[in-house]
Amino acid sequence: MSTSAHPSSDVIRTGGTVTDRLVEANERYASRFTDPGMDAKPVLKVAVVACMDARLDLHAALGLELGDCHTIRNAGGVVTDDVIRSLTISQRALKTRSVVLIHHTGCGLESLTEDFRHELEMEVGQRPAWAVEAFRDVEQDVRQSMQRVRTSPFLLHTDDVRGFVFDVTTGLLREIDPS
């Protein structure tokens, strides 16, 4: 059973690949689209870093509208070099000032280890250059991510960095004390 919510007017016909269906949905979207007249600078001057988990509807959970924030997502919502790159561009070029970090309960990275990289190397003959960034303690990983943001020499604004754990069963955020 699918728990995916699609308005009845946007029902995607069966057949084709998932990508074909997404392109179809985009064609319907574009036929009703009007340019909102926004630029790339988020209205709320905030960047949200979160896990890519499909259960997290960040805009709905945070009461955000189109144009309110920059959203940066990856496996685990961990602060990697690429997240720092995106935050640096967000702050320096597009004027964001606040950073919100969101991990969640039941994250898949809690069940992985760095052995995942070794297994990939054995399978494909090349070790990935990236770290898995697996963790056992979601709260500690939020603290580590906050610390990575706060200590980055590239970021201009590190005084308003807050971290949370989203509960996938209740929809509530729990703030994590950085210390």
Side-chain angles (χ1 to χ4, degrees):
M1 176 175 120
S2 173
T3 58
S4 181
H6 292 285
S8 58
S9 63
D10 288 336
V11 173
I12 299 170
R13 73 175 148 83
T14 57
T17 67
V18 171
T19 304
D20 291 335
R21 292 183 221 158
L22 297 175
V23 170
E24 240 179 75
N26 174 257
E27 289 168 359
R28 286 190 300 281
Y29 170 80
S31 72
R32 300 181 306 268
F33 183 79
T34 55
D35 181 356
M38 301 175 177
D39 67 17
K41 294 176 184 167
V43 173
L44 299 179
K45 298 184 178 183
V46 63
V48 177
V49 178
C51 185
M52 66 186 191
D53 192 295
R55 296 172 290 180
L56 278 66
D57 183 349
L58 292 174
H59 277 74
L62 301 174
L64 295 167
E65 300 293 331
L66 182 67
D68 281 348
C69 72
H70 284 157
T71 306
I72 303 161
R73 296 181 80 158
N74 66 20
V78 296
V79 175
T80 61
D81 286 346
D82 193 58
V83 168
I84 293 295
R85 178 187 73 85
S86 293
L87 288 172
T88 301
I89 292 166
S90 178
Q91 287 190 357
R92 291 180 177 265
L94 299 165
K95 309 301 181 200
T96 58
R97 299 289 178 264
S98 301
V99 178
V100 173
L101 305 171
I102 301 177
H103 285 31
H104 66 91
T105 58
C107 184
L109 282 188
E110 291 175 292
S111 63
L112 289 178
T113 67
E114 288 299 319
D115 287 341
F116 183 77
R117 290 175 70 226
H118 302 295
E119 293 163 6
L120 281 173
E121 180 181 18
M122 296 306 292
E123 180 182 329
V124 302
Q126 180 179 344
R127 180 178 290 197
W130 39 263
V132 174
E133 296 281 350
F135 53 86
R136 294 278 181 241
D137 182 336
V138 68
E139 289 184 16
Q140 181 55 35
D141 201 69
V142 171
R143 286 185 195 95
Q144 177 175 301
S145 290
M146 285 190 280
Q147 185 65 17
R148 285 178 177 173
V149 171
R150 288 189 173 125
T151 59
S152 173
F154 306 110
L155 299 175
L156 298 171
H157 306 284
T158 58
D159 55 321
D160 188 12
V161 177
R162 294 172 66 183
F164 300 85
V165 174
F166 178 86
D167 187 312
V168 297
T169 60
T170 67
L172 289 172
L173 288 176
R174 180 170 38 89
E175 188 158 8
I176 303 302
D177 183 343
S179 51

